[in-house]
Amino acid sequence: MTARGTHTDVLIIGAGPTGLALALDLARHGVAALVVERGAELFPGSRGKGLQPRTLEVLHDYGVLDRVREVAGHYPPNLFWKDGEPQDERRMYEPAEPSEAEPYTETLMLPQWLTQRILHGRLRELGGEVAFGRELAGLGQDEDGVTAEFTTGAPVRARYLVAADGGRSTVRRLLGIGMAGETVDPAPMLIADVRVTGLGRDHWHVFPSDEGLLAICPLGGTEDFQLVAGFPEGTAVDLTLDGLRAAVAARSHLTAEQVTELRWISEFRPRAALADRFRAGRVFLAGDAAHVHSPAGAQGLNTSVQDAYNLAWKLAAVLAGRADAALLDTYEEERRANAAEMLALSTRVHRGEERRGRATRQLGLGYRESSLAVDTRPDLPEDALRAGDRAPDGQRGGTRLFDAFRGPHWTLLTVGTDDPLPALTAPVVRIPAYGAYGTGVFLVRPDGYLGWAGRTADGLTDYADRHGLLDG
């Protein structure tokens, strides 16, 4: 602290999943980052509860997947009720068998507050912290950095600032960045974490009724249920325990008294919105500050974590002087298009136009059209792995690829070839032929996507030079 306030490399506004993921990833890179949160504690509700397979891969890289799997639950089948009697069951997600290349294919359920607790714990292990009770009041920026003012406490000066402060982002408003979108459903809905007696925890209980949707889902790792209820457009929703009990009693066979405790509650209207820009000078938008999803399909939190995963290594490379500042332009280039695709998917799932399946797992997302994706192999088969794609996992010769990729580094991977390689700072992993890759040389980015690919290493030196990877 100085007379002018705190100085840091990166200031992150908001300690939700996006901000925490970004902070811990930056900490792995040795970047000084400060997370500020206007609340007195981490968000207490279950709102984003689905962890998609691609996010599980990120959590593996962060070193917290085992912690998540210890407490996370499986998505139970929907059980539909009528007149107090159970009717048919339906699976929400199409099952997919894991494979060597895609070891995680199941969407896990974990309430957002527990996900945040795990991320926060990992951040603290890496030396990071969250400053609670700091509400942003204003910001300004110049050629060298950003200055943030708060309603209490000293200002903070940072080289870069990241807005991870949610769908009603104060940062986005202060910057004057617009957010275009649509109301997916104008009818209000409530979401609540409750304690309920008389319902089993092996099903997601659905009670169709004339009054509106009622769904009650057991939350993995807790004794709670998440309750979602819809109301007619124009309804003034009662967010008290008594109001919640009345809705449950009117729409199901449960009595009001069987809702024994209300732990958290919120009202929302499903919408889909995308910020006009993801960057303004030295300020970046991430997570809900950049894109707001319908909760259907469990894409919002997952897309937000991918934002953090994409941005962290780029900020670290620029701050360390290993890469030109132009690298930061690729954050919006890559993530805005990706977020738009996920918003459209969430909306289709909400409207019943698409099943939850391969697309919602996010394993097929990539950056083939990115300026960072360079593939020197002509005439590839249609289904070939290409630069910009997610780097598959695999076990060859005692090496697990995801373990080799784990960490903040690039990885130079050769598959089925002993081609001479340039001297890079990236560790080299050589494995025999593997169908998921074919044969060739691949440079894997710190976020697990292929940056460069070729049958030989010809042309790799130029790419590595641009990204500060040449050894000397």
Side-chain angles (χ1 to χ4, degrees):
M1 181 80 71
T2 71
R4 297 179 58 194
T6 300
H7 292 255
T8 188
D9 284 335
V10 180
L11 175 61
I12 301 168
I13 309 296
T18 312
L20 294 170
L22 178 62
L24 79 84
D25 206 348
L26 287 170
R28 297 193 311 161
H29 287 271
V31 173
L34 174 64
V35 185
V36 296
E37 166 59 44
R38 69 178 181 179
E41 60 183 6
L42 296 175
F43 172 76
S46 66
R47 187 163 50 203
K49 65 180 183 298
L51 296 177
Q52 298 293 350
R54 179 55 185 158
T55 302
L56 300 181
E57 295 181 349
V58 177
L59 297 175
H60 172 96
D61 190 16
Y62 287 168
V64 298
L65 181 58
D66 288 345
R67 303 177 203 182
V68 166
R69 297 175 88 168
E70 284 176 2
V71 292
H74 306 285
Y75 266 73
N78 294 146
L79 178 61
F80 290 80
W81 292 81
K82 181 179 180 182
D83 299 327
E85 296 294 331
Q87 305 297 308
D88 60 323
E89 291 187 6
R90 301 177 200 168
R91 286 276 174 193
M92 178 169 287
Y93 284 94
E94 297 176 357
E97 289 296 319
S99 66
E100 186 177 16
E102 296 181 352
Y104 314 124
T105 56
E106 181 187 6
T107 303
L108 296 182
M109 181 185 293
L110 193 66
Q112 182 174 322
W113 67 266
L114 258 179
T115 299
Q116 290 177 169
R117 179 181 292 181
I118 291 170
L119 294 174
H120 186 220
R122 180 64 175 143
L123 172 62
R124 296 184 68 181
E125 290 173 359
L126 294 169
E129 266 298 350
V130 176
F132 292 101
R134 302 296 308 276
E135 183 173 359
L136 185 69
L139 62 85
Q141 60 176 312
D142 53 40
E143 291 182 357
D144 299 318
V146 184
T147 301
E149 304 281 346
F150 298 88
T151 55
T152 58
V156 176
R157 177 72 174 173
R159 293 176 67 182
Y160 294 97
L161 182 146
V162 180
D165 53 345
R168 297 182 176 88
S169 171
T170 299
V171 176
R172 192 182 65 236
R173 176 178 56 80
L174 291 172
L175 293 173
I177 295 177
M179 199 170 203
E182 62 176 321
T183 300
V184 176
D185 189 340
M189 302 186 76
L190 71 78
I191 181 172
D193 293 349
V194 298
R195 295 282 174 89
V196 179
T197 62
L199 280 183
R201 299 188 65 86
D202 295 329
H203 294 93
W204 187 325
H205 305 276
V206 182
F207 304 90
S209 73
D210 294 337
E211 288 82 3
L213 168 73
L214 175 67
I216 305 177
C217 175
L219 288 168
T222 77
E223 298 178 8
D224 299 345
F225 288 82
Q226 184 190 76
L227 184 151
V228 176
F231 297 85
E233 188 175 356
T235 300
V237 181
D238 185 345
L239 298 181
T240 67
L241 175 58
D242 286 342
L244 194 65
R245 283 171 162 169
V248 170
R251 302 181 189 193
S252 75
H253 62 275
L254 300 175
T255 66
E257 291 72 25
Q258 286 179 269
V259 183
T260 60
E261 187 177 348
L262 172 60
R263 303 176 65 80
W264 169 79
I265 191 167
S266 180
E267 179 185 351
F268 70 99
R269 284 164 180 77
R271 66 187 184 115
L274 184 67
D276 296 341
R277 292 178 289 155
F278 280 21
R279 182 184 185 185
R282 288 179 170 266
V283 181
F284 300 86
L285 305 184
D288 286 356
H291 43 81
V292 177
H293 302 245
S294 159
Q299 299 300 296
L301 182 151
N302 295 274
T303 301
S304 300
V305 169
Q306 304 301 327
D307 290 345
Y309 201 39
N310 183 285
L311 182 57
W313 69 269
K314 297 174 181 179
L315 281 170
V318 171
L319 286 165
R322 295 191 304 271
D324 188 271
L327 176 65
L328 297 175
D329 293 335
T330 66
Y331 169 69
E332 179 174 310
E333 175 193 354
E334 294 183 340
R335 294 307 302 162
R336 193 170 184 275
N338 191 290
E341 184 178 344
M342 291 299 96
L343 283 171
L345 174 62
S346 295
T347 300
R348 292 195 303 272
V349 172
H350 184 100
R351 292 173 174 166
E353 298 168 357
E354 182 164 339
R355 289 266 300 164
R356 298 165 178 85
R358 172 76 182 172
T360 56
R361 291 192 285 272
Q362 297 200 356
L363 294 172
L365 295 177
Y367 308 117
R368 286 188 179 184
E369 304 305 316
S370 168
S371 58
L372 294 181
V374 176
D375 203 311
T376 65
R377 301 166 298 170
D379 305 322
L380 286 174
E382 186 66 28
D383 60 350
L385 187 71
R386 299 169 186 263
D389 290 349
R390 162 194 166 276
D393 194 12
Q395 186 86 27
R396 288 292 185 278
T399 298
R400 183 183 178 186
L401 293 180
F402 274 5
D403 289 340
F405 301 156
R406 175 186 279 175
H409 56 268
W410 294 71
T411 304
L412 183 54
L413 173 68
T414 71
V415 184
T417 177
D418 294 323
D419 193 65
L421 300 174
L424 305 186
T425 57
V428 177
V429 176
R430 291 186 180 272
I431 63 171
Y434 176 27
Y437 283 84
T439 301
V441 180
F442 306 89
L443 189 57
V444 182
R445 297 171 12 168
D447 59 352
Y449 289 90
L450 301 182
W452 187 94
R455 290 196 173 93
T456 70
D458 290 346
L460 176 57
T461 299
D462 289 341
Y463 185 93
D465 187 33
R466 290 199 304 275
H467 297 288
L469 297 174
L470 287 185
D471 188 4

